[in-house]
Amino acid sequence: MPRGQARQTEEGSRAVCGGVASTRILDWRHPRVLSAAQGIDAAARNEEGPAAEVAALRRAHRWISAAIRPVYSVEEIRPVSEVLRRGRGSCSQRMAVLEAMARSWDVSTRVRGLVVDGAFWYPRFPRLRRLVPSQVVLAWPEFRIGGRSGRASAAWLPVSELFAGVGEPGGRVGGGFTNAGTETLFDALARTDVDWDGTVACPASSGPCDLSAFVVNDLGHFDSRDELFARHGQTLCAMARVLADPVLSRREP
């Protein structure tokens, strides 16, 4: 863990409008990112409105799930273009790919910074608990649906609600997310609710949808994941990332 890193909610209110700019991480102007995004959005290029934007994001999520192999990378600021080149990435890196594609379609994105208890990952690493960081910084994306069509009332849609509601073939299976099997948090979004606030009512038999008990601190919203990690640092210090990432970035769940 980085020494002396105080990860606390910043006092005082500030406007967090998100944006569509290309950043160091969300480098959507890179030819590799543009090519992938344009291919995904081709089917709905002539469609407009909130429903079309959500549909495009859902297609992008499915494409990322199939095209980018999930691994345990710990490098949070890796550019999206590099993730695509490697064809593999962590949940956080795959989330960044989804954000970059949204920005390339002129859909504003921002992130909510969450400090999550490392115990959340214990079921995935039962024999390596001592190596799991005590706290993990999580960038949780949100998308401003309807904003590109000029709607002043355009609302922010958290990625956890991207597949909520009707319209998905076969519907959502449910069953909660336990972080114990091979399914990743990114992939689970299309199947079940992931709730960091304790507001989703899940049947007792469906498994845990309410993950709020693992939230150590809510850092608030940031215009981009670049800003979040610049202000609060990555989960691991630089030396730990240098040593761990070459090994973990090739290990699949």
Side-chain angles (χ1 to χ4, degrees), residues 132-154:
V132 176
S134 60
Q135 297 180 358
V136 175
V137 180
L138 182 65
W140 200 245
E142 297 183 358
F143 308 90
R144 193 164 186 259
I145 301 301
R148 69 179 181 181
S149 56
R151 290 175 59 234
S153 60

Side-chain angles (χ1 to χ4, degrees), residues 27-87:
D27 60 341
W28 66 261
R29 294 188 183 277
H30 190 284
R32 192 177 295 119
V33 186
L34 279 175
S35 177
Q38 290 170 357
I40 293 169
D41 199 37
R45 197 157 294 166
N46 296 323
E47 299 179 12
E48 295 183 358
E53 293 171 18
V54 171
L57 290 171
R58 288 177 174 177
R59 285 196 298 275
H61 182 278
R62 288 191 287 267
W63 182 89
I64 294 166
S65 292
I68 302 178
R69 180 164 52 93
V71 293
Y72 293 119
S73 177
V74 294
E75 182 55 73
E76 300 282 7
I77 62 173
R78 179 165 293 148
V80 165
S81 59
E82 178 62 14
V83 175
L84 290 176
R85 186 191 71 79
R86 296 182 177 211

